[in-house]
Amino acid sequence: MQQVHLGIIGGGTVGGGVFEALQRNGALLASRLGAAVTVQRIAVRDLKKSRATKIPKALLTADWREVVFDPQVELVAELIGGTTVAREAILAALKLGKPVITANKALLSAHGEELFAAAKKYGTNLYYEASVCGGIPIIKALREGFVGNRINALYGIVNGTCNYILTRMKLEGADFATVLADAQRLGYAETPPDLDIDGHDAAHKTGILASLAHGFWIKPKKIHVEGIRQVSALDIKFAGELGYTIKLLGTVKKLDAGCRVQVSVYPTLVPNNHVLASVNGVFNAVFVRGDVVGDSLFYGRGAGKDATASAVLSDIGDAVLDLKSGAKNRLPAFTPHECSGAVAPIDEVVSKYFVRLNVVDKPGVLARIATIFGQSDIGISSVIQPEGHEGASVPLIFMLHDATNGAAKQALAKIAKLPAVKGKPVMFRVESFE
Ligand code: NAP
Ligand code: HSE
């Protein structure tokens, strides 16, 4: 049987998971591919470190170049993360005509176009299934399964750490810091975790999905991002009373018949009767609306050793089949299509809103706030004010009808200046999935 020699850069959560999975399922993979994958070399940073996954010492090196430039290595997996060494190593491998697999969404987000161009130039390929939603084969679905569809909308719970935190905050009333520490211990969170909780990891993934769906590469600075730090137990509670669950949602929506799209990441109120509201814990889900297929849902583990290793194995499978057949560009890393495209500025995006204010409970306050919304042509669909004591501070919750982000922001800025309004108003979008 043909042998394919794999070099892995990174022996941490994902690299260790891939090594383990190859030990466990290598024979099965070989029988399916008609070629056996042999791990030739694994680069790590610290040779002395004790590892959750036992890797034979003879395979280890502390120099990634010994992986990439090893003449036996035909296929390279970059699993170290970051955007400097990883970029250098991938470019070096591609330059040698070696196909590369990466799980590195931060790198793709920042330098995708450069890496795809290098793969094309040197007649090889770059595979990146593990970069979005761990074990869910969403990249394959968009590139292959839905090749005949226009993607009118895509909504993703794409960050396991945030979903894990929001779920435990909702179900247990647990506090943010404790749950974040658990997510780090379980190997879900990025280092540093700010990448997760401030929404940037989700933005990297949403940008990759949006680019594949719409055929033009979307740069991270074009994506409007808000993380989950500002989601409080109070917001979760009131959203629940109104029939919603708060999720960090990546949203990609075609806004008109042209190529204008919304690409954003923000905490979103999801109706409890929508399937995405029940996606709990570290699980990810992507809801895709294609113009031919209609609605479909992808669900699975979006982070962690085994789920991510499964996606890397899928790329190993594709790369091995391409190597075997010599069809290096059967499916190029990225192909622009149809639209030259533009991401709409967030202020032009229309949405419904949940607004939480902290106000002094006295006559006329509600009327003054309602007047400002009215003057901005924003309709109120419901109001909650828990019974309080006159003169004391109470939460005041509004659900607002459709308005542009710009109009809602301006109205809130005016409301925030009212003497009876204490602290910063909180505003989240509400998604109706229509
Ligand atoms: P990790 O646990 O921190 O592992 C990183 C590995 O890379 C470690 O083995 C480290 O060596 C090695 N390394 C770092 N810098 C190196 C260098 N300059 N030269 C050689 N080796 C180096 O990270 P991870 O969680 O596996 O993540 C790896 C990649 O997968 C990232 O791009 C991440 O975004 C992506 N990803 C992760 C997950 C997940 O659930 N963890 C899911 C999807 C995608 P030492 O072991 O000696 O420190
Ligand atoms: N930190 C990421 C998450 C890992 O929590 O989803 C998977 O990309």
Side-chain angles (χ1 to χ4, degrees):
M1 188 182 276
Q2 185 177 338
Q3 298 282 318
V4 172
H5 294 92
L6 169 71
I8 304 179
I9 313 176
T13 304
V14 182
V18 170
F19 183 73
E20 259 179 48
L22 281 172
Q23 307 307 300
R24 197 186 329 150
N25 284 357
L28 172 73
L29 195 66
S31 68
R32 285 180 172 158
L33 299 176
V37 177
T38 310
V39 178
Q40 177 76 10
R41 221 73 222 277
I42 303 183
V44 292
R45 194 169 22 202
D46 178 1
L47 289 173
K48 296 206 178 93
K49 190 168 167 179
S50 109
R51 301 182 179 283
T53 302
K54 295 287 161 241
I55 302 174
K57 270 201 176 127
L59 287 184
L60 289 177
T61 167
D63 182 358
W64 63 264
R65 290 173 191 79
E66 290 192 7
V67 173
V68 169
F69 294 101
D70 181 332
Q72 293 261 43
V73 168
E74 298 150 89
L75 172 61
V76 174
E78 177 281 304
L79 304 172
I80 58 176
T83 54
T84 47
V85 179
R87 173 173 165 267
E88 198 187 337
I90 292 178
L91 286 172
L94 294 174
K95 205 168 176 177
L96 293 169
K98 298 186 182 188
V100 176
I101 293 162
T102 182
N104 194 334
K105 56 262 165 171
L107 178 66
L108 286 172
S109 182
H111 300 289
E113 284 168 308
E114 179 193 20
L115 300 176
F116 302 147
K120 191 172 173 192
K121 180 172 174 189
Y122 298 110
T124 186
N125 215 338
L126 182 65
Y127 305 83
Y128 49 97
E129 184 63 66
S131 65
V132 181
C133 291
I136 305 174
I138 187 65
I139 304 267
K140 216 177 209 349
L142 286 176
R143 277 154 50 106
E144 300 181 54
F146 295 150
V147 67
N149 281 260
R150 291 204 171 80
I151 306 299
N152 289 333
L154 179 154
Y155 305 92
I157 294 174
V158 295
N159 185 270
T161 303
C162 288
N163 205 41
Y164 178 82
I165 292 172
L166 291 174
T167 303
R168 284 195 51 195
M169 284 175 74
K170 180 176 176 185
L171 298 182
E172 299 167 24
D175 78 89
F176 183 85
T178 314
V179 189
L180 173 62
D182 284 351
Q184 288 179 285
R185 188 176 48 73
L186 292 165
Y188 304 147
E190 301 294 317
T191 315
D194 314 34
L195 268 177
D196 291 303
I197 55 190
D198 291 329
H200 301 296
D201 176 76
H204 295 151
K205 295 167 181 169
T206 303
I208 294 170
L209 296 181
S211 303
L212 289 171
H214 292 283
F216 62 101
W217 197 252
I218 293 162
K219 301 221 161 58
K221 63 174 189 292
K222 295 276 178 198
I223 304 174
H224 178 80
V225 187
E226 293 170 26
I228 64 165
R229 279 184 208 269
Q230 79 276 28
V231 179
S232 68
L234 216 51
D235 298 316
I236 290 176
K237 174 179 167 294
F238 284 119
E241 283 179 20
L242 289 158
Y244 294 88
T245 298
I246 300 183
K247 295 288 181 192
L248 185 72
L249 214 61
T251 299
V252 181
K253 255 194 249 185
K254 205 162 163 33
L255 293 182
D256 48 43
C259 294
R260 248 165 42 97
V261 281
Q262 172 189 352
V263 186
S264 53
V265 170
Y266 42 65
T268 306
L269 271 74
V270 174
N272 282 339
N273 62 5
H274 192 274
V275 65
L276 288 178
S278 328
V279 174
N280 284 329
V282 74
F283 279 87
N284 282 193
V286 184
F287 182 88
V288 183
R289 181 166 294 158
D291 67 340
V292 182
V293 70
D295 291 350
S296 39
L297 180 77
F298 298 80
Y299 171 84
R301 287 186 186 276
K305 185 181 83 166
D306 295 331
T308 315
S310 167
V312 175
L313 291 191
S314 159
D315 278 348
I316 291 177
D318 277 348
V320 166
L321 292 176
D322 288 348
L323 280 170
K324 263 183 73 181
S325 67
K328 291 178 180 166
N329 265 317
R330 183 187 65 85
L331 196 63
F334 182 71
T335 315
H337 57 88
E338 202 166 72
C339 289
S340 61
V343 176
I346 189 68
D347 277 350
E348 292 174 16
V349 169
V350 173
S351 177
K352 302 183 196 322
Y353 300 89
F354 163 101
V355 170
R356 179 172 58 80
L357 306 173
N358 192 29
V359 300
V360 180
D361 187 359
K362 59 178 186 185
V365 172
L366 183 56
R368 253 170 251 135
I369 294 168
T371 303
I372 295 178
F373 282 132
Q375 283 163 347
S376 307
D377 208 20
I378 301 175
I380 297 167
S381 58
S382 63
V383 182
I384 306 182
Q385 191 203 301
E387 203 172 329
H389 299 288
E390 206 168 316
S393 274
V394 284
L396 182 57
I397 318 303
F398 292 90
M399 293 294 275
L400 305 179
H401 286 301
D402 276 344
T404 62
N405 189 79
K409 230 171 53 187
Q410 263 185 10
L412 270 196
K414 285 185 195 155
I415 288 168
K417 286 187 187 145
L418 295 174
V421 173
K422 304 293 169 199
K424 199 169 170 241
V426 171
M427 175 181 98
F428 298 123
R429 286 96 180 161
V430 180
E431 185 54 63
S432 51
F433 300 94
E434 282 155 359

